Every structure is written in C-alpha cells, then in structure tokens.
Amino acid sequence: NAGVTQTPKFQVLKTGQSMTLQCAQDMNHEYMSWYRQDPGMGLRLIHYSVGAGITDQGEVPNGYNVSRSTTEDFPLRLLSAAPSQTSVYFCASSLTGLGNTEAFFGQGTRLTVV
Amino acid sequence: GQSLEQPSEVTAVEGAIVQINCTYQTSGFYGLSWYQQHDGGAPTFLSYNALDGLEETGRFSSFLSRSDSYGYLLLQELQMKDSASYFCATRGNQAGTALIFGKGTTLSVSS
C-alpha cells in the first residue's frame, strides 16, 4: 500500500523560481492538507481540501496555491520562492474531517530556497 | 481560532513514566489527538480523546478534561525508541476542517 506519496523528497530552488510539490494518496480519502514544519514551530497548516474542487486556506497560506481536481492529488504550488519558504513540507490525508479520524502523512519534501 | 500549548522539551530515563501536557483554546471542540514524530520522519497517529477520561493503548495513555481544556499523553516503561517529538492536535473550529497542531514536545530518553 502506497498511502500518501510526496515528490520530490528534496529540492533546492533559487529565489523567485516557481515549483509544484506533488502529493498523491491511494486511500480514497476526501480530506487532504498541506503543512510546513520549521524548528520550534510545529506543523502549521497551509491549505486544505475537503473534497475534489474544494479548497480553503489554513494558518499560513501566503505565497502558496493549491487545487484539487481529483480525489487522489493535491499539489502545492510555490509561485515565487522566497528564503522564508525554506522548510519541510508535509502532505496529509484522512477519510473524513471528524475528530476521531486518523491523518496519514507523506514522508515530506525538504525544500531549500537560496 | 485555535491554539494548543505544550512544553517544548521533556527528558526522562529508560523505564520511567513521563507525562506531556497540552492545553487548548478553541471556539469549537472536536476532540484531542496525539501524534508521534521521530527525527526525519513523518508524524504518525497515537491516540484520540473525544470525551473526558483516560484512553489506554499499550504503554501509551491519553487523558482529556474538557472542562479544563486540558489533556495529556502518558508514556510508561519508557524505551530509547520513544525519543521523538509528540504533538497534540485538534480539528478546526467547525466540523470537517483540518487538524491544527501544537508546537510539539521533544522527548529525550536516556539510559
């Protein structure tokens, strides 16, 4: 079982470049989310989706775009990378948005912006 | 909005018991979850409390008091492999939203 798959695992970007972080899940989960993790800051929610065609902003959405055209995929786009976006990015999915629903995480994308 | 507060670091020795506290402020409440993350890895689900009281899963237990907006994760018979970061989390201020996490507690277990 693949679960949640993120690509790439590592990426170095120059300031101003754009890129898309890919996230795919094969569990038919409706809910998908993107988080960034910085030292001492925990996991901060960037964007999330409650189903295909529906997205919403989280705590730190600026500089990022998302779309959800299929249940399986939830890509995160950096429009113009900045050094402040250097972070580890995690994608997560869950079957429902109920409190007792376990979230499954991908292995993360380690992004450095120089 | 929501906020969850937890200590940044906890240290303990093998075989001991450690408690990681979490206090939360939410405009709505949909239960408290706990996740574990080893260094360089992805967070993984440990436990969930919707109602007051203790939930036990092997060496790990989680407690919730909704009246105090407080919960804790209890780890017993600590092992070196329990060295990790532990996060409390709750769903957003309306049902069906994404998980919001505390900043995490780093547990270091020594021999």
Side-chain angles (χ1 to χ4, degrees), chain A residues 40-94:
Chain A
M41 297 298 292
L43 292 149
R44 290 185 292 170
L45 180 66
I46 305 171
H47 287 284
Y48 66 98
S49 169
V50 301
I54 306 169
T55 64
D56 206 347
Q57 295 182 351
E59 304 165 277
V60 288
N62 292 341
Y64 307 95
N65 271 0
V66 292
S67 60
R68 184 96 180 270
S69 56
T70 67
T71 298
E72 294 78 19
D73 300 299
F74 191 41
L76 178 72
R77 298 183 188 85
L78 281 70
L79 305 176
S80 177
S84 61
Q85 293 179 303
T86 293
S87 188
V88 181
Y89 291 85
F90 286 99
C91 176
S93 75
S94 60

Side-chain angles (χ1 to χ4, degrees), chain A residues 31 33 35 37 40-43 45 48 50 59 90 94 96-103 105-107 110, chain B residues 2 30-31 33 35 37 40-45 48 87 91 94-104:
Chain A
Y31 287 76
S33 308
Y35 296 88
Q37 186 171 34
M41 297 298 292
L43 292 149
L45 180 66
Y48 66 98
V50 301
E59 304 165 277
F90 286 99
S94 60
T96 74
L98 296 176
N100 63 347
T101 301
E102 177 181 353
F105 285 79
Q107 287 304 305
R110 283 149 182 81
Chain B
Q2 306 83 34
Y30 296 93
S33 301
Y35 284 76
Q37 184 183 30
T44 56
F45 175 80
Y48 169 76
F87 297 88
R91 292 282 170 179
Q94 55 183 339
T97 57
L99 279 169
I100 302 297
F101 288 83
K103 292 184 178 179

Side-chain angles (χ1 to χ4, degrees), chain B residues 47-58 60-64 72-74:
Chain B
S47 68
Y48 169 76
N49 294 71
L51 302 175
D52 292 355
L54 195 67
E55 295 282 341
E56 298 181 68
T57 309
F60 293 2
S61 303
S62 57
F63 172 83
L64 178 67
Y72 65 73
L73 181 69
L74 191 72

